[in-house]
């Protein structure tokens, strides 16, 4: 379990973004009842049954990501621009020739980048307590039930590595790097902050890279132009890279730093099923279920904990994880309820409501044994989340259409985690984390048909993602008989993405 991920890491790999074709994006992904767009196979695959011809599409994206943080009035901005090839897809239409009953079969394949992790952010200021206070409190708390938490057992030798230890990895790295000290080398507990000066400033710098990619295989059918059914089998790849540097400066010119890097890779599978009913030419109703994704993941870790106290000298040990951690993750599932109005050849409007159950996320060892403590933390910290998506399209001419939409997703994180009143558990040596405070999307776009077969769509998606950034969690220190906590920085990540889709029908 020391190698395994914890509740916030499970949540990170359970999220997705608004991605797909430009038409899908420009209407905020509200295609659960509409169908007729290749990207609908990622939400309601019954929408592929709407097709009356075969089609191939490809989508290019240009994204600008800007993260703005504010820690007690100290502000910091970080930005990144990225070009991606995010979507390519094919749908084949095979009519049966029947006038009623099953009128046709549709099969399809799509590649979609459903999550882009690329982001840089920085917080700077005075968070309240020191990271050394936190590591000392964590180690003292663990020592209550485990007599192995002594200075001698945490101490560094030439071949010692915290990732090989059965003790808490951050406790071992912190003690070896001089971030904490002990009153008695042979007795459990008694760990303290070794810095004499006052904490003057802390700075956290984080760089994230990577993506979640999906490969969708869909089968759909049309029954009498009234009922459309579909199913998608999904293969998913995860590639995530994280690095952080946390530094603290004290009034006596002492300093400490904690550098971490984490690389996670793996793959998973899931399925989507759905139905669309068209009771009249003007109304469509949709229902879809998106299963959890069952992942097998591997972590590669690195930590460098260092300190310099003028009266005692510097320490700076560096460690790699020689045995990558392997584990399994089951993400949340989703229900999508949809309705759409089609106004003849003039336009349409569509609404989706997505209900996600994040408390059903689950972690397990690679051999399948459940991580009971971690899963209890997930159920205690997460609930359900609702996402409302609205999209509209107006036909200005038979060839030219304009589109707009919006999506609003609330956070599934429970209030006692959001307000920082409860401890947030972590794994490995990374104590930093963010708390989701909600996501908004605003979208516009247009499309033009050059010929009955060839078309181009353009979309602009503005995403606003709000979070709180914690250097470390609130924790009780039994040695000092008081709570240790860090002041969170508020952060807003704004992403502007322009998508171009080219499509050809045949």
């Amino acid at each position: 379990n020391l190698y395994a991920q914890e509740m916030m890491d499970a949540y990170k790999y359970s999220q997705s973004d608004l991605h797909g074709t430009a038409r899908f994006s420009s209407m905020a992904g509200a295609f659960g009842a509409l169908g007729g767009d290749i990207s609908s196979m990622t939400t309601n695959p019954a929408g592929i049954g709407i097709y009356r011809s075969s089609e191939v599409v490809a989508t290019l994206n240009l994204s600008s990501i800007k993260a703005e943080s504010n820690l007690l009035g100290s502000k910091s901005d970080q930005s990144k621009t990225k070009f991606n090839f995010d979507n390519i897809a094919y749908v084949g239409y095979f009519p049966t020739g029947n006038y009623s009953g099953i009128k046709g079969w549709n099969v399809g394949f799509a590649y979609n980048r459903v999550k882009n992790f690329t982001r840089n952010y920085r917080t700077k200021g005075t968070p309240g307590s020191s990271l050394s206070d936190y590591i000392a409190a964590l180690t003292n708390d663990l020592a209550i039930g485990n007599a192995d938490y002594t200075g001698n057992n945490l101490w560094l030798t030439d071949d010692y590595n915290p990732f090989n230890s059965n003790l808490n990895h951050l406790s071992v790295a912190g003690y070896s790097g001089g971030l904490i000290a002990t009153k008695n080398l042979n007795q459990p507990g008694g760990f303290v902050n070794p810095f004499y000066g006052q904490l003057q400033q802390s700075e956290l710098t984080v760089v994230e890279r990577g993506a979640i990619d999906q490969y969708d295989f869909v089968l759909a059918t049309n029954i009498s132009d009234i009922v459309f059914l579909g199913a998608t089998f999904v293969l998913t790849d995860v590639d995530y890279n994280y690095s952080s540097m946390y530094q603290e400066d004290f009034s006596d010119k002492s300093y400490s730093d904690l550098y971490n890097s984490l690389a996670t890779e793996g793959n998973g599978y899931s399925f989507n099923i759905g139905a669309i009913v068209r009771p009249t030419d003007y109304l469509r109703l949709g229902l879809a279920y998106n299963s959890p994704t069952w992942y097998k993941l591997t972590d590669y870790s690195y930590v460098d904990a260092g300190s310099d106290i003028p009266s005692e000298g510097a320490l700076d040990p560096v460690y790699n994880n020689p045995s990558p951690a392997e584990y399994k993750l089951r993400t949340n599932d989703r229900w999508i309820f949809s309705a759409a109005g089609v106004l003849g050849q003039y336009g349409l409007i569509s609404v989706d409501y997505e209900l996600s159950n994040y408390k059903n996320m689950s972690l397990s060892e690679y051999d399948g044994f459940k991580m009971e403590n971690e899963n209890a933390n997930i159920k205690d910290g997460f609930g359900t989340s609702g996402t409302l998506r609205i999209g509209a399209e107006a036909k200005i001419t038979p060839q030219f259409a304009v589109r707009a939409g919006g999506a609003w997703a609330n956070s599934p994180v429970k209030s006692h985690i959001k307000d920082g009143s409860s401890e947030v558990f972590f794994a490995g040596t990374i104590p930093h984390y963010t708390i989701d405070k909600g996501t908004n999307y605003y979208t516009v776009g247009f499309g033009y048909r050059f010929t009955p077969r060839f078309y181009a769509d353009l979309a602009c998606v503005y995403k606003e993602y709000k979070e709180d950034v914690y250097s470390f969690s609130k924790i009780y220190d039994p040695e000092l008989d008081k709570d240790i906590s860090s002041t969170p920085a508020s952060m807003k990540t704004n992403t502007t993405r322009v998508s171009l889709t080219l499509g050809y029908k045949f």
Side-chain angles (χ1 to χ4, degrees), residues 178-213:
L179 273 69
I180 59 173
T182 184
K183 297 176 182 178
N184 190 319
L185 287 172
N186 300 305
Q187 295 296 321
F191 293 95
V192 295
N193 180 341
F195 296 96
Y196 305 112
Q198 288 291 112
L199 176 62
Q200 291 188 318
Q201 181 172 278
S202 68
E203 184 173 344
L204 171 65
T205 303
V206 174
V207 176
E208 293 180 289
R209 296 291 184 268
I212 298 178
D213 294 330

Side-chain angles (χ1 to χ4, degrees), residues 86-148:
D86 279 3
N87 164 265
I88 186 169
Y90 160 79
V91 167
Y93 171 59
F94 302 95
T96 63
N98 298 330
Y99 291 101
S100 61
I102 297 178
K103 301 186 66 174
W105 293 97
N106 299 77
V107 297
F109 164 80
Y111 158 77
N112 285 289
R113 175 154 291 181
V114 297
K115 179 70 176 179
N116 188 348
F117 290 113
T118 298
R119 181 171 65 167
N120 302 343
Y121 63 88
R122 176 183 290 126
T123 67
K124 192 173 183 179
T126 304
S129 301
S130 165
L131 176 63
S132 293
D133 296 324
Y134 173 78
I135 301 175
L138 172 69
T139 312
N140 288 328
D141 183 59
L142 293 168
I144 293 175
N146 191 332
D148 289 335

Side-chain angles (χ1 to χ4, degrees), residues 365-422:
E365 303 288 353
Y366 204 72
D367 56 12
F369 287 99
K370 297 290 186 181
M371 299 178 189
E372 300 296 342
N373 291 337
E374 289 82 351
N375 293 333
N377 294 336
I378 288 172
K379 291 185 181 299
D380 181 62
F382 291 96
T384 57
S385 171
T387 301
L388 177 65
R389 295 188 288 262
I390 301 175
E393 178 182 77
K395 292 287 188 70
I396 306 304
T397 71
Q399 292 79 33
F400 182 67
V402 295
R403 301 155 186 146
W408 300 268
N410 67 313
S411 170
V413 181
K414 291 185 178 178
S415 58
H416 66 93
I417 301 294
K418 280 184 183 179
D419 62 21
S421 61
S422 296

Side-chain angles (χ1 to χ4, degrees), residues 356-371:
S356 299
N357 191 357
Y358 285 93
K359 66 181 178 181
N360 283 344
M361 297 183 298
S362 175
L363 289 160
S364 62
E365 303 288 353
Y366 204 72
D367 56 12
F369 287 99
K370 297 290 186 181
M371 299 178 189

